[in-house]
Amino acid sequence: MLVLIASPTGFIELILFFAVGAIGALCLRKDDKLANVRSSFFAIVGSLWGTIFSVGALFALNTILFSIGTPVFPLLSVSIAIDKLSAFFILVISLVSLFCSIYGFGYVRHFYGKYSIGALGFFYNIFILGMLVVVSASNALFFLIAWESMSVASYFLVVYDRRDPNNISAGSLYLVMTYIGTACIVLAFLMLYKFTGSFDFTIIKTMMGTIPDWIKNVVFVLAVVGFGTKAGIIPFHGWLPSAHPAAPSHVSALMSGVMIKTGIYMMIRLFLDILSPIPEWWGLSLLIIGSISSLLGVLYALTEHDIKRLLAYHSIENIGIILLGLGAALTFTSLGIHSLALLGLVAALFHTLNHATFKSLLFLSSGSVINQMHTRNMEEYGGLIKYMPQTALFFLVGSMAISALPPFNGFFSEWLTFQTLFQGIASLDFYAKWIFVGAAAVLAFTGGLALACFVKVFSATFLARPRSSEVAHAKEAPFSMRFGMGALAVLSLLLGIYSGHISAVLGYVGRDVSIFHDVPALFLSSEAGRLVVGNFSSVSAPVLFALLLVVLVVTWGVVRFFVYKKQEIHTGITWDCGTDLTPRMEITATGFSRSIISIFKSVLKPSMQHAVEYHDAVSRYLPKTRTVTLGVRDMYRLYLYEPINGFVVRLSRYVKRLQNGIINAYMLYMFVVLLVVLFLAVR
Amino acid sequence: MDIFFNQLLPATFFLTTIYFHLARKNFGIAIGYGIQSLAIALILLGSFFDTRSLTLLFIIILLVTFKVIIAPKFFIGLVKKHEVKFSSSAYLNLPLSLIVISVLIAVVHSRVFLPLASLVPAHSELVLLAIAGMLVSLFLVINRKGALSQIVGVLSLENSIVTFAIFSGLEQSTALQVGIMFDIAVWFVIATVFVSMIYKHFGTLDITEMKQLRD
């Protein structure tokens, strides 16, 4: 059975599901309902098959290999190699796609008659297909084709709601950044090709000895920029907070949950598998980048009141956390400490899986809220728990998971990352030790800030009184949307409770990477549900879960029997200086984060504007309204993107002079080039 | 006979390319082009006397028909029909143009073109002359504002390439002969269509009047 599932045929079937879904949606584009049914059906069935296939591939004895050569283009072959690492990423993509597609079936109905559902279904299926091929390709050229398919499809999904000019602008920025990243990736592959004569990953790996160290270093830098741009690491993150919110919510969930992980996949594949052995500074660089990304990501998230932009910034933060694990893994690998390197890799993989689940859950929940409220501004929410209780519960689960609260999954992957960093502090030399100390401190700090941020989001969105009239009209999401969210919420809990088993499986995945073959299986194990790391650390999810239940029950019992017992409850008007309670008396999302922003004002550069409207414009004694607008300047846009943009614009103006419309001038250019080429040929 | 075929005719070809830069009237340019083409036809005729190749003879007849008779006649007719004003204006004035031509000829005789000249040691000077013809013709296209002059510049460039091929010993090649036949026909068509369309669209053949092409 396993042989039948985990086979080249199984993978081709997987691809065909999405291809048929895409083409079918396009063919039925004139009927929105049919197009939605067709594209969602194939996306759901394909994702389900992808999940089964990937589990089969995870436990298959051998790597799934097949290649279709093209005599016309000898360098390009449709080469697929699905080892355990690829299978893991296929699992993550399929699992999240499954629930997003179920959610999407109900969600896209509000686009009926507004935009083409057929086009949405086409690009959605192509997008998932592209991601699956990206993590399976073993030929650089074939990989680039898949990478481009994924990027172009996601661009069209970002600009799907094209009536909003901000979405078009976000899409353009995304496209530009994507192509800058792709240019770096192409350059990296060309450099590898120059020294190995092949675009095949296996051949490049076997010929790694022929590549000079400085070329490997250049490839590393190009790969970090190229794949880091897709992953959204700072400072290449500019597109992410704009593009992710612009897309339909189930697409945002996929982009933030899994698409950015394809960059992480390629970093793991290149740095740990193909380019090995590696120097120590690679790992330390990734640790520094990861620390900066996680800290600044969460700080920028705190300043946001656009719920989807806030979640997008948290993606930057979590990519930073994943890079902490990966950076530690690279550092230990370069020093030959393979057991700890495996621990770092497992921490990175586990957080990849966890972030995919809880971030998708959060995007889907926020999508349900936006669907009802017709705005992404949290300041206009409030009290939604009464109108959307199930959505509120799912959002709460996602918030707890992303804030690393046990027993949800986020806690355990961050715990593993901490263990990795602590081991680095204990075993490394002076300067590496301090980088690990800094990374651990940043991780702890980030956890605290993330918790504060989600207290803000949850309370501003679901608690207190409604801050706009729209809230009263809000209704719970349809069943398919609730099912998608509910399944991800349950998954977040299960991944936490079974973290011991999951980590053991991820250790098994990690040991499939050639440099970790010699690490003993018992280094990461599960004993009676406990996650055990070597002989130095362990944590028990079931115990934590039981403890949480006990605390909840005891708290409920204490309140029930000791506080309310024999007490009469009187309901009266709250004394509030003689006026009625109104939503204006609540603390706003901006107000909540103001104190934290003040602490980090040297980094965030906040701006504040006061506006006062008086009853009498002449006397100005009695203010009618007071408005405080708190803003945060985007430092990267101000000091990085805009100067680069200005330089490119100035350069373009000079270049434009060449395009003067005079034929003689064009002939002159050719003439000069001809002479230069002749001189160069003779020299 | 050698003096006629190897010195007088190549010199005629080259002097006509220089003459294009000096000419003040379109009529003169059209006649100059006819003379240049005739010189090439006669050079090819010299080859025919050596080889007695019938294909070459056919090429010569074609060349004379189209380039020596029809093309100049066509240009002269066009000038008369549309009353095209002669645009003698060039981007560089005459002294500067002559300086540039001198520099180009000096470049051709520098070490840059030695590898090409050494292809046929017996005709190395003639090969360099043909290359100089190419560059001077290209310079004509760049320097002139009138579209007709530019077309003649391109045709002169094409004649220079044929001359280069002949002196490089490639005139025996069937490929070259077919190429000459083909390019005569193609250039004739292109020139006709090009000039007619430009005049129809813009009402002038002065390319400085065609700046709206940019937009």
Side-chain angles (χ1 to χ4, degrees):
Chain A
M1 188 68 180
L2 197 65
V3 177
L4 278 175
I5 294 169
S7 64
T9 316
F11 186 75
I12 291 168
E13 283 165 3
L14 175 62
I15 296 302
L16 281 177
F17 275 122
F18 292 103
V20 171
I23 295 163
L26 214 53
C27 292
L28 298 170
R29 67 186 182 283
K30 287 184 179 169
D31 187 328
D32 286 348
K33 196 175 173 185
L34 274 179
N36 184 23
V37 170
R38 178 76 174 244
S39 74
S40 298
F41 173 77
F42 281 98
I44 290 167
V45 174
S47 304
L48 197 60
W49 176 244
T51 309
I52 296 166
F53 169 82
S54 56
V55 171
L58 270 179
F59 296 102
L61 291 175
N62 299 313
T63 299
I64 300 166
L65 288 168
F66 72 93
S67 180
I68 305 165
T70 49
V72 184
F73 305 106
L75 290 174
L76 169 67
S77 65
V78 181
S79 296
I80 296 291
I82 302 169
D83 57 4
K84 307 228 174 328
L85 187 65
S86 294
F88 167 74
F89 276 89
I90 293 175
L91 175 67
V92 175
I93 293 166
S94 303
L95 211 55
V96 176
S97 300
L98 175 64
F99 299 121
C100 288
S101 302
I102 294 170
Y103 176 95
F105 177 66
Y107 176 80
V108 300
R109 284 179 193 156
H110 78 277
F111 289 126
Y112 283 4
K114 244 171 113 182
Y115 299 114
S116 168
I117 303 297
L120 177 65
F122 174 77
F123 288 118
Y124 182 74
N125 278 279
I126 294 290
F127 177 46
I128 300 174
L129 192 151
M131 286 193 290
L132 289 170
V133 178
V134 158
V135 298
S136 312
S138 73
N139 177 288
L141 293 182
F142 181 52
F143 163 83
L144 284 169
I145 291 170
W147 184 262
E148 282 303 292
S149 309
M150 175 184 80
S151 302
V152 171
S154 56
Y155 162 75
F156 283 108
L157 292 169
V158 167
V159 298
Y160 181 68
D161 187 358
R162 59 186 178 278
R163 283 177 200 161
D164 185 348
N166 290 329
N167 293 350
I168 304 294
S169 167
S172 303
L173 179 63
Y174 170 49
L175 207 61
V176 169
M177 296 289 285
T178 292
Y179 278 104
I180 291 171
T182 306
C184 291
I185 296 166
V186 170
L187 202 55
F189 283 138
L190 284 176
M191 293 183 95
L192 290 175
Y193 174 76
K194 182 177 164 58
F195 288 91
T196 60
S198 175
F199 284 115
D200 191 282
F201 291 161
T202 316
I203 296 172
I204 294 172
K205 187 179 168 182
T206 51
M207 295 185 72
M208 198 39 61
T210 61
I211 301 178
D213 284 345
W214 74 271
I215 289 288
K216 281 171 70 173
N217 290 337
V218 173
V219 169
F220 169 75
V221 174
L222 289 170
V224 167
V225 175
F227 296 119
T229 304
K230 184 62 82 183
I233 61 171
I234 285 177
F236 312 114
H237 68 289
W239 63 274
L240 200 147
S242 311
H244 284 198
S249 288
H250 64 307
V251 177
S252 304
L254 274 180
M255 288 178 79
S256 209
V258 286
M259 186 191 76
I260 59 175
K261 309 297 177 3
T262 55
I264 296 293
Y265 163 78
M266 277 310 291
M267 285 193 202
I268 296 172
R269 177 66 72 197
L270 266 181
F271 305 155
L272 278 176
D273 192 23
I274 296 175
L275 295 179
S276 191
I278 54 171
E280 189 183 0
W281 71 269
W282 288 16
L284 296 176
S285 309
L286 281 193
L287 274 173
I288 293 168
I289 293 169
S291 302
I292 294 170
S293 295
S294 56
L295 184 61
L296 292 182
V298 74
L299 280 177
Y300 278 106
L302 264 166
T303 66
E304 277 297 334
H305 51 80
D306 177 328
I307 191 166
K308 283 178 91 176
R309 276 180 69 89
L310 180 144
L311 293 176
Y313 273 119
H314 273 289
S315 294
I316 297 169
E317 174 221 337
N318 281 281
I319 284 293
I321 294 172
I322 294 168
L323 284 186
L324 292 183
L326 183 58
L330 293 187
T331 309
F332 289 128
T333 302
S334 63
L335 298 172
I337 314 171
H338 288 152
S339 55
L340 292 181
L342 178 64
L343 178 61
L345 177 62
V346 168
L349 292 179
F350 198 11
H351 202 69
T352 298
L353 173 63
N354 291 341
H355 179 248
T357 52
F358 59 65
K359 183 49 66 67
S360 309
L361 170 59
L362 287 166
F363 263 111
L364 297 186
S365 317
S366 64
S368 300
V369 170
I370 294 163
N371 218 7
Q372 296 298 315
M373 297 299 299
H374 311 294
T375 175
R376 301 200 308 241
N377 187 359
M378 285 188 293
E379 307 291 17
E380 294 181 32
Y381 299 166
L384 278 168
I385 196 166
K386 290 172 194 163
Y387 304 92
M388 306 176 76
Q390 292 180 39
T391 303
L393 176 67
F394 302 142
F395 195 92
L396 182 65
V397 170
S399 302
M400 289 177 75
I402 199 171
S403 306
L405 295 179
F408 294 100
N409 54 357
F411 169 80
F412 296 96
S413 49
E414 289 199 21
W415 182 84
L416 273 178
T417 311
F418 270 119
Q419 297 310 313
T420 314
L421 296 174
F422 292 156
Q423 290 306 310
I425 294 166
S427 57
L428 296 179
D429 59 5
F430 182 75
Y431 73 95
K433 181 198 292 271
W434 282 105
I435 290 175
F436 272 69
V437 168
V442 164
L443 183 58
F445 201 47
T446 301
L449 289 174
L451 182 61
C453 190
F454 276 92
V455 167
K456 173 185 101 168
V457 180
F458 189 78
S459 56
T461 307
F462 294 103
L463 303 182
R465 292 189 169 211
R467 282 189 294 275
S468 72
S469 55
E470 287 283 325
V471 175
H473 305 295
K475 288 176 190 163
E476 189 54 274
F479 175 74
S480 68
M481 291 167 72
R482 279 180 285 138
F483 182 84
M485 293 185 283
L488 283 167
V490 171
L491 198 62
S492 295
L493 182 64
L494 290 180
L495 287 174
I497 292 173
Y498 292 102
S499 54
H501 300 285
I502 306 284
S503 301
V505 171
L506 292 177
Y508 169 70
V509 170
R511 277 197 306 283
D512 194 46
V513 178
S514 53
I515 55 168
F516 298 131
H517 283 337
D518 58 340
V519 180
L522 285 173
F523 185 73
L524 266 161
S525 58
S526 171
E527 291 172 13
R530 265 192 324 141
L531 165 55
V532 181
V533 181
N535 54 0
F536 52 83
S537 190
S538 71
V539 63
S540 174
V543 170
L544 284 172
F545 186 51
L547 208 63
L548 184 81
L549 286 180
V550 169
V551 169
L552 284 174
V553 169
V554 168
T555 310
W556 180 78
V558 167
V559 172
R560 184 80 178 82
F561 292 102
F562 293 98
V563 179
Y564 289 150
K565 195 177 179 184
K566 295 179 183 175
Q567 285 191 9
E568 289 181 7
I569 299 169
H570 296 281
T571 305
I573 299 168
T574 311
W575 184 82
D576 52 2
C577 305
T579 60
D580 289 336
L581 272 177
T582 69
R584 288 183 60 218
M585 294 171 186
E586 296 167 15
I587 186 164
T588 60
T590 309
F592 183 91
S593 52
R594 189 179 161 187
S595 53
I596 300 172
I597 293 171
S598 305
I599 296 168
F600 293 99
K601 64 182 178 187
S602 57
V603 179
L604 296 172
K605 307 279 182 200
S607 63
M608 193 185 288
Q609 286 180 323
H610 293 270
V612 185
E613 191 186 342
Y614 295 96
H615 281 288
D616 186 345
V618 180
S619 65
R620 298 196 164 197
Y621 286 120
L622 296 170
K624 190 176 176 185
T625 58
R626 280 181 189 274
T627 311
V628 179
T629 310
L630 196 66
V632 173
R633 281 192 288 174
D634 189 338
M635 305 302 286
Y636 298 95
R637 186 175 281 264
L638 199 63
Y639 294 115
L640 184 66
Y641 296 127
E642 284 183 4
I644 292 173
N645 181 50
F647 172 73
V648 171
V649 168
R650 281 196 298 278
L651 191 68
S652 303
R653 285 199 185 119
Y654 282 112
V655 174
K656 198 181 166 188
R657 290 180 189 173
L658 295 173
Q659 172 74 11
N660 51 19
I662 301 170
I663 298 165
N664 307 64
Y666 301 145
M667 294 297 293
L668 180 65
Y669 304 149
M670 287 189 264
F671 189 54
V672 170
V673 169
L674 179 73
L675 286 178
V676 170
V677 169
L678 275 170
F679 273 103
L680 288 176
V682 172
R683 192 171 64 85
Chain B
M1 281 301 276
D2 275 356
I3 292 173
F4 180 72
F5 285 112
N6 290 340
Q7 291 186 20
L8 189 62
L9 289 177
T12 308
F13 150 75
F14 187 69
L15 286 173
T16 48
T17 57
I18 304 288
Y19 170 73
F20 293 145
H21 285 274
L22 308 175
R24 293 286 170 192
K25 292 194 171 182
N26 275 337
F27 181 80
I29 287 184
I31 294 294
Y33 177 67
I35 294 169
Q36 189 187 58
S37 302
L38 182 65
I40 290 162
L42 290 174
I43 293 169
L44 276 174
L45 194 67
S47 288
F48 168 73
F49 291 146
D50 292 338
T51 60
R52 305 285 171 184
S53 162
L54 286 176
T55 322
L56 194 57
L57 184 64
F58 179 63
I59 294 290
I60 293 164
I61 294 166
L62 261 181
L63 204 148
V64 171
T65 311
F66 281 106
K67 289 191 164 185
V68 181
I69 302 167
I70 298 178
K73 199 178 169 192
F74 166 75
F75 288 134
I76 290 165
L78 197 75
V79 171
K80 285 180 179 171
K81 183 182 171 188
H82 297 296
E83 295 179 343
V84 179
K85 286 180 185 173
F86 182 72
S87 174
S88 64
S89 57
Y91 287 99
L92 300 181
N93 58 25
L94 191 60
L96 272 176
S97 299
L98 289 174
I99 288 170
V100 172
I101 290 167
S102 310
V103 170
L104 289 175
I105 294 167
V107 167
V108 169
H109 284 83
S110 70
R111 68 184 185 90
V112 175
F113 290 92
L114 270 180
L116 283 175
S118 59
L119 283 176
V120 190
H123 288 158
S124 62
E125 282 303 317
L126 296 175
V127 167
L128 291 178
L129 196 74
I131 296 170
M134 287 183 215
L135 297 185
V136 173
S137 302
L138 203 54
F139 177 57
L140 180 74
V141 180
I142 295 165
N143 196 30
R144 285 290 178 141
K145 290 180 180 175
L148 202 66
S149 313
Q150 289 183 334
I151 293 168
V152 172
V154 175
L155 292 173
S156 169
L157 172 67
E158 182 261 328
N159 274 347
S160 308
I161 293 167
V162 172
T163 314
F164 173 78
I166 295 165
F167 291 134
S168 304
L170 301 172
E171 83 275 18
Q172 300 298 330
S173 158
T174 314
L176 175 75
Q177 292 174 5
V178 172
I180 291 173
M181 275 195 284
F182 186 72
D183 92 340
I184 288 167
V186 169
W187 269 116
F188 192 71
V189 172
I190 288 174
T192 309
V193 174
F194 184 54
V195 172
S196 304
M197 283 182 70
I198 285 177
Y199 199 83
K200 196 175 169 185
H201 267 281
F202 297 99
T204 176
L205 288 182
D206 186 341
I207 59 106
T208 53
E209 301 293 320
M210 302 173 200
K211 282 197 170 179
Q212 61 267 40
L213 271 175
R214 264 187 306 194
D215 305 318

